[in-house]
Amino acid sequence: MLGLVLSVGITLPQPISPTARGLPSGYAINSHGCVVATLGPSAYARHLMREGKLPPKTPAPPTASRMTQLYGFTAYPGVYDSQVAHYYDDLGDKQRAVTFYRRALAKIGNENVSAGSIDVIRLRLSILLFRLHKVAEAKAHWRILVSRRSKFENIPDEGTREALRQRFHEALKQYALSPPPYNQVSFGESGAEYNLQRGLNAAARGDLTKGGQLLEYSLECSPFFQVPRLALGVIEAVKNDFTTARHEWLATLEGYDPAPDSGVTIAQYDAIYLLLKFD
């Protein structure tokens, strides 16, 4: 049985549940507090595409002529390679995606591309490498990412600093008090933010079972939400199950934040630090 240290006198943020008032037609709130579509899956996908919230699936790799039109292929061959890599990544062709991501990184540093965009390419490559059991190469990319970014931003955040000290219960309290930043509008509208705070509060008070369940509800609302994945990994670390914890932290890297120009997020940098520490 785990020895849990319960918080005394800790004041945690109050979760704010989503409301059905003002929801557009075709949406409802389910029993877990998630905003869901009441249309069928295919009809819902068409509905999202009409609203511009879901891009059509790329039918083929981007052609050189199309990339010239969009980006200036002759001037930016690294951008072209990164787009092709992303295409194969989406298809699940890991080996081919790795080849094009490597080509992109070899070229793109000399092109007019933001450092954040290059970091995202490096992150995507590192995930594939780890999945292909090329762990040493993946870690090399992670070290580059955190070394460069730590010069400009205070990472990791305080919750993850506690986890790196193996003070996992304290890390969960810190996450509850101040989780890594995320797009509160998007995740708030889906109900994911509501369940995130509920789950973090439960975990901070020592109820890891309920906390884990509520964090899973958060992912039910928004499967790509990074912060609940990060916290689920810490809950597994409390149990000394670092195999499952690493699974959750790698899934954190695979999520995304729909905020414009979010690049690599704080939660993803946190997960990188934890993977480097506990792998």
Side-chain angles (χ1 to χ4, degrees):
M1 182 177 179
L2 295 170
L4 302 182
V5 180
L6 301 182
S7 304
V8 177
I10 186 170
T11 301
L12 299 172
Q14 181 67 31
I16 301 175
S17 62
T19 175
R21 185 180 305 150
L23 282 179
S25 176
Y27 294 86
I29 299 176
N30 70 10
S31 61
H32 294 163
C34 298
V35 177
V36 296
T38 55
L39 304 172
S42 298
Y44 181 47
R46 290 194 299 272
H47 171 70
L48 290 179
M49 288 177 68
R50 283 195 301 270
E51 292 187 350
K53 295 181 179 179
L54 184 69
K57 189 171 180 63
T58 306
T63 63
S65 61
R66 178 60 174 158
M67 293 301 292
T68 300
Q69 178 185 353
L70 293 175
Y71 300 104
F73 166 51
T74 54
Y76 304 115
V79 172
Y80 172 71
D81 286 337
S82 70
Q83 292 293 319
V84 175
H86 198 177
Y87 166 79
Y88 286 118
D89 198 348
D90 285 345
L91 281 186
D93 189 339
K94 294 182 177 62
Q95 292 287 3
R96 194 169 293 184
V98 163
T99 297
F100 280 95
Y101 278 135
R102 283 173 173 160
R103 290 180 187 177
L105 283 180
K107 302 172 185 177
I108 208 166
N110 298 319
E111 300 173 6
N112 186 23
V113 179
S114 70
S117 296
I118 297 173
D119 284 352
V120 170
I121 293 170
R122 190 178 299 280
L123 179 68
R124 288 173 175 164
L125 172 58
S126 73
I127 294 166
L128 291 173
L129 291 169
F130 196 90
R131 293 289 189 198
L132 291 168
H133 308 292
K134 299 180 185 295
V135 176
E137 189 177 351
K139 285 184 173 182
H141 286 290
W142 291 340
R143 291 188 184 99
I144 291 171
L145 285 168
V146 297
S147 173
R148 196 190 70 77
R149 187 62 180 268
S150 63
K151 297 175 183 178
F152 306 103
E153 193 155 359
N154 185 27
I155 58 169
D157 65 15
E158 188 54 41
T160 298
R161 290 179 191 275
E162 293 291 356
L164 291 168
R165 300 181 189 112
Q166 301 189 48
R167 290 163 48 89
F168 299 119
H169 285 107
E170 189 59 37
L172 291 168
K173 294 177 194 175
Q174 291 299 323
Y175 286 149
L177 291 167
S178 180
Y182 57 86
N183 184 336
Q184 294 180 328
V185 173
S186 295
F187 295 117
E189 289 177 345
S190 69
E193 181 181 49
Y194 168 61
N195 281 305
L196 170 69
Q197 193 64 60
R198 294 169 74 203
L200 292 176
N201 287 359
R205 295 185 179 111
D207 191 340
L208 300 186
T209 300
K210 183 178 180 181
Q213 182 184 55
L214 292 169
L215 291 172
E216 292 288 355
Y217 290 171
S218 181
L219 291 167
E220 178 186 329
C221 300
S222 292
F224 48 85
F225 195 9
Q226 300 159 343
V227 180
R229 289 285 187 193
L230 182 73
L232 282 167
V234 175
I235 286 176
E236 295 302 326
V238 174
K239 305 172 188 176
N240 205 35
D241 183 356
F242 286 96
T243 299
T244 305
R246 285 190 292 271
H247 168 82
E248 296 293 354
W249 293 329
L250 193 66
T252 305
L253 302 186
E254 293 173 320
Y256 71 94
D257 192 316
D261 303 318
S262 59
V264 182
T265 66
I266 299 297
Q268 288 175 314
Y269 282 113
D270 285 353
I272 289 172
Y273 276 101
L274 291 166
L275 284 163
L276 286 170
K277 172 75 173 181
F278 296 110
D279 182 60

